[in-house]
Amino acid sequence: MHAPPRPSPALTRSPSRAPARKAAIGTGLVLAAVFGVLLALVACAWGPLVSLDRHVADGLHPVAVEHHGWTRCVRVLSDWLWDPWTMRAALAVAALWLLRRRDWLLCVWIAGTSALGTALQQGLKAAVGRARPSWPDPVATAHYAAFPSGHALTATVTCGLLAWLLWRHAARPAVLLAALAAGAVSVLGVGFTRLYLGVHWLSDVVAGWLLGGALVAVSAALFEMLTDRRTDEGERAS
């Protein structure tokens, strides 16, 4: 018989975790609210936002057309390293690790959060139906609607969930810091690649970041609340 895994130091209950959970939920709600405002502005084609999106796109596209070598490198980053399926594969590895530790609930929670992010992304794309930038000399192509950016959203959800997992399992500060740095580079980098390749507007990318960040913050806080409640019930039952 396999003994259940011992809880890591990060999982030990502490009164200081309640404010952290509230802060996470508050952050998630703020990000969701800002996303809602951005969604409304995109849906009504607000002039200043459309002009900003066009200005950024028109500024980057000539650079991408002129610098072929750099553009090929950016495509590799966007289509392979930071592709949504690569991000999901990284989460799948984390889920397998959780299964090996017999942490069933957290494994399902991680998979469910990722799936919810994908569902929200696809549903919003269909509902908004925003056209992608169009060029006479494109350097890359993408299909389906533009808003929000699936690359930006998936990278944000994946990197956020992986960082949360490391924190929950008491990763060393140096490891956690390195993971946060790599996550920040990935999230910002994938957003830049989608703009540089001319397949998304700036507001698409920002929307992906906002929605992904909101989803991770609320999901993590709710999981911590759930596990603390189960701990309370177990202590009362004993």
Side-chain angles (χ1 to χ4, degrees):
M1 180 181 296
H2 294 283
R6 290 182 299 176
S8 63
L11 302 184
T12 303
R13 294 191 66 207
S14 154
S16 64
R17 291 178 60 190
R21 289 195 302 269
K22 291 180 180 179
I25 291 178
T27 299
L29 293 178
V30 169
L31 292 174
V34 176
F35 170 81
V37 172
L38 183 58
L39 171 61
L41 294 177
V42 168
C44 70
W46 188 52
L49 180 63
V50 172
S51 297
L52 175 61
D53 282 338
R54 187 80 256 178
H55 177 74
V56 173
D58 288 344
L60 287 174
H61 184 66
V63 179
V65 171
E66 181 179 353
H67 297 85
H68 302 287
W70 174 240
T71 299
R72 282 195 296 270
C73 292
V74 171
R75 289 197 61 175
V76 169
L77 291 172
S78 181
D79 297 343
W80 293 96
L81 180 62
W82 292 325
D83 181 77
W85 285 108
T86 305
M87 295 287 106
R88 295 181 188 116
L91 273 184
V93 171
L96 290 174
W97 178 73
L98 291 170
L99 285 177
R100 185 175 180 180
R101 291 176 54 90
R102 304 174 67 83
D103 198 342
W104 315 114
L105 179 60
L106 184 53
C107 177
V108 171
W109 198 275
I110 289 292
T113 302
S114 178
L116 178 58
T118 300
L120 287 173
Q121 161 206 320
Q122 296 299 320
L124 285 165
K125 283 179 179 288
V128 177
R130 191 185 200 188
R132 294 177 182 269
S134 178
W135 310 102
D137 50 353
V139 298
T141 58
H143 306 287
Y144 206 34
F147 184 94
S149 166
H151 278 69
L153 188 151
T154 305
T156 303
V157 169
T158 298
C159 294
L161 289 176
L162 291 177
W164 174 51
L165 283 177
L166 288 173
W167 172 81
R168 290 201 93 245
H169 290 85
R172 289 178 297 177
V175 174
L176 184 57
L177 183 60
L180 290 173
V185 170
S186 296
V187 170
L188 295 174
V190 74
F192 172 77
T193 64
R194 304 310 282 168
L195 296 175
Y196 181 90
L197 295 173
V199 293
H200 272 296
W201 306 105
L202 175 61
S203 52
D204 301 335
V205 170
V206 174
W209 289 337
L210 290 170
L211 186 57
L215 181 59
V216 170
V218 173
S219 177
L222 291 178
F223 185 86
E224 299 296 340
M225 292 172 63
L226 174 63
T227 53
D228 278 358
R229 181 176 301 173
R230 286 168 58 133
T231 301
D232 285 340
E233 292 173 353
E235 290 175 351
R236 285 196 296 268
S238 62

